[in-house]
Amino acid sequence: MFLGLDLGTSGLRGLLVTETGEVVASAEAHYSVDHPHAGWSEQDPAHWIAACEAVIADLRNEVTNFGDLQGIAVSGHMHGATLLDADNQVLRPCILWNDTRSHEFAAQLDAIGNIRSLSGNIVFPGFTAPKLLWVEANEPDVFAKTAKVLLPKDYLIYWLTGAHVGEMSDAAGTTWLDVEARAWSPELLQAGHMRADQMPDLVEGSEKAGDLRAELARAWGIGGTVVVAGGGGDNAAAACGVGALRDGDGFVSLGTSGVLLAARDGFAPMPETAVHTFCHAVPNRWYQMGVILAATDSLNWLSKQLGRSPADLSGELGDTIGDPGRVQFLPYLSGERTPHNDSQIRGAMLRLDVADGPADLTRAVMEGVSFALRDSLEALKATGANLDRVLAIGGGSQSPYWVELCATILNMPIDLPAKGELGAAMGAARLAICAATGADPEEIMTKPQIARTVAPRADLTDAYEAAYQNWRAAYPALKDLP
């Protein structure tokens, strides 16, 4: 058997599969995020270890032959800064991907001449390098003691193996990696006031990072060697889970954040679009994605305000779309990445009428998120990415209304996979299979069976195109507000 661990922002999920990818069992454990100040988002890495132990305990209780485990891989939320001292002790809570305190340092780093050309990306406030510059300026004692910086999933790999190992897809989001060369960049490290010895060793996500520590193997009832793979950043692993490896493959994820991802055969950055260009979790592949910071999070926000569940709100709209609504929603509740790279902008609800009710507000939220994903599509097109259809994943894809809305606004068919395991945990399990058996990722990372395809509404595409152009005009006006 092979174990995929998906280290999410709010919880860890474990998925056990056979070598052919059949699901054996799954388990989850949850933890919280701390927000000690406005714009701060932190997590205690000890919670990840506790969650992993809980997941393993549940899987062992459910699966009698857990001792047959041969491989493990971890996927995880990207960009987090986990700082270790020379004794491998955690120095402070991990600063997470959605923490915006480092925006001034990000802007300073981004202004240095060759940063974008080497990293392939704008320096976003959530990336790892500006976090360390913030620590240097505000917690100099911690910075001075920092012997290693590990990304969240790599800290879990350290706990599993005792080795400091990272991989390409996650490292690409640090602003310390030469994304084309797939190696730490001396110039980028120097610009970020870091040293090469503070970085983990690098492997490909489908390669071996180490072996499971003997004491853990004994505690888990495992007699043989268990290979731990390099793993992958969450979206790269999700792409592995749905077989998105080649040019033309892609998915739209309606999760907490929203992602429109396109796999690429080569390195084709265009940082000025605010598109992320990262290494894939398999060798000699890259991917690009547009990211919006609040997708289903926007609906969750509305749910809290109205005291009704997201499912109840979306259900009120039915299964098929009508004409665009009058109310406009800009989903910048936590700032925005693609295409604006604006950590300070905040959301807005416009053109409200006294007659508007929950259905109007829900429609506006879903349209606003879908229009923001259209922004990402336009940015991806500018890089040369070619998407003519995508797979839909994430919790929001359970809403027929939202999927049809996205298909119409993106003006492309959206495939809905048949029931089954998809996404980052399955992608991690597939990476574990490759690392432990030497299997070719192209053979393991197949596409899922498609249950149905949702086509754009040809009778409404013109109306939604006009609505999108009107919606686009709201961002500059919102940004100009004092």
Side-chain angles (χ1 to χ4, degrees):
M1 291 184 298
F2 303 86
L3 176 62
L5 296 171
D6 179 28
L7 180 71
T9 308
S10 58
L12 183 139
R13 187 158 190 272
L15 183 69
L16 268 179
V17 304
T18 66
E19 189 170 349
T20 58
E22 297 173 4
V23 175
V24 177
S26 64
E28 294 183 13
H30 299 277
Y31 37 76
S32 60
V33 177
D34 297 322
H35 303 284
H37 302 286
W40 290 32
S41 186
E42 299 185 339
Q43 213 156 50
D44 183 352
H47 295 166
W48 308 334
I49 304 305
C52 188
E53 290 179 319
V55 163
I56 296 298
D58 287 348
L59 291 173
R60 291 186 65 208
N61 287 334
E62 186 175 348
V63 180
T64 56
N65 61 333
F66 186 84
D68 294 339
L69 187 69
Q70 293 182 33
I72 300 172
V74 187
S75 69
H77 51 88
M78 296 177 65
H79 314 305
T82 310
L83 311 185
L84 307 184
D85 67 13
D87 297 319
N88 293 311
Q89 299 301 304
V90 175
L91 288 165
R92 67 167 333 280
C94 177
I95 306 176
L96 298 183
W97 61 275
N98 54 351
D99 188 293
T100 60
R101 77 184 76 173
S102 307
H103 62 93
E104 292 180 1
F105 296 96
Q108 293 169 14
L109 199 54
D110 192 54
I112 298 174
N114 62 346
I115 294 294
R116 289 187 178 188
S117 61
L118 285 170
S119 70
N121 293 277
I122 287 175
V123 184
F124 291 92
F127 281 17
T128 321
K131 293 180 171 74
L132 268 293
L133 292 174
W134 183 92
V135 172
E136 181 184 33
N138 293 275
E139 298 175 355
D141 291 346
V142 171
F143 187 81
K145 293 176 183 176
T146 299
K148 287 288 180 192
V149 182
L150 297 181
L151 296 161
K153 76 151 186 6
D154 298 336
Y155 180 74
L156 198 55
I157 289 174
Y158 162 71
W159 178 73
L160 290 168
T161 66
H164 302 128
V165 181
E167 55 73 49
M168 308 303 175
S169 71
D170 216 0
T174 61
T175 315
W176 295 321
L177 190 82
D178 182 328
V179 175
E180 182 176 23
R182 304 172 87 93
W184 297 121
S185 163
E187 294 92 340
L188 292 174
L189 288 170
Q190 183 178 17
H193 302 175
M194 301 301 292
R195 306 184 310 271
D197 64 275
Q198 292 173 303
M199 300 295 109
D201 295 333
L202 289 174
V203 297
E204 295 288 350
S206 54
E207 294 176 347
K208 176 178 176 178
D211 293 325
L212 184 67
R213 289 189 291 127
E215 53 267 45
L216 288 178
R218 285 193 298 271
W220 296 351
I222 300 169
T225 298
V226 178
V227 170
V228 178
D234 48 7
N235 286 298
C240 293
V242 299
L245 299 184
R246 306 161 198 85
D247 263 323
D249 296 340
F251 67 76
V252 58
S253 174
L254 289 169
T256 302
S257 58
V259 173
L260 188 63
L261 182 144
R264 302 301 302 267
D265 293 338
F267 180 63
M270 189 176 284
E272 61 272 21
T273 64
V275 162
H276 296 27
T277 301
F278 292 153
C279 303
H280 212 314
V282 297
N284 303 315
R285 304 276 182 180
W286 288 260
Y287 70 96
Q288 292 178 305
M289 62 180 178
V291 177
I292 67 172
L293 293 178
T296 59
D297 224 17
S298 292
L299 189 58
N300 293 338
W301 167 81
L302 183 65
S303 167
K304 291 175 185 175
Q305 309 317 310
L306 299 181
R308 294 171 59 180
S309 72
D312 183 34
L313 291 174
S314 62
E316 190 172 341
L317 298 179
D319 290 347
T320 61
I321 63 174
D323 291 332
R326 181 192 64 259
V327 181
Q328 291 180 324
F329 175 71
L330 284 78
Y332 309 138
L333 301 179
S334 302
E336 194 54 296
R337 286 202 183 171
T338 311
H340 303 304
N341 183 30
D342 191 340
S343 64
Q344 302 304 300
I345 195 73
R346 287 299 179 266
M349 192 82 74
L350 306 177
R351 298 179 177 173
L352 289 166
D353 185 270
V354 68
D356 291 330
D360 302 287
L361 303 184
T362 304
R363 183 183 300 106
V365 165
M366 289 187 171
E367 287 182 5
V369 169
S370 303
F371 287 144
L373 287 167
R374 170 66 182 276
D375 272 350
S376 287
L377 177 61
E378 297 304 318
L380 282 167
K381 287 179 179 177
T383 72
N386 179 31
L387 288 177
D388 55 17
R389 69 188 308 126
V390 288
L391 190 79
I393 62 174
S397 67
Q398 301 304 307
S399 166
Y401 183 98
W402 210 345
V403 173
E404 187 176 75
L405 183 66
C406 284
T408 303
I409 289 172
L410 299 177
N411 199 18
M412 68 173 66
I414 294 181
D415 296 321
L416 290 170
K419 295 293 183 183
E421 286 290 343
L422 296 166
M426 176 58 81
R430 288 174 163 187
L431 290 166
I433 292 170
C434 293
T437 68
D440 184 347
E442 301 272 353
E443 297 178 1
I444 299 298
M445 294 167 192
T446 55
K447 291 180 170 61
Q449 183 179 356
I450 301 304
R452 67 187 183 96
T453 298
V454 179
R457 285 281 298 275
D459 58 323
L460 292 172
T461 50
D462 287 346
Y464 277 98
E465 177 65 26
Y468 168 63
Q469 297 302 332
N470 288 334
W471 178 89
R472 285 185 69 194
Y475 170 77
L478 181 62
K479 187 172 179 61
D480 285 343
L481 293 175

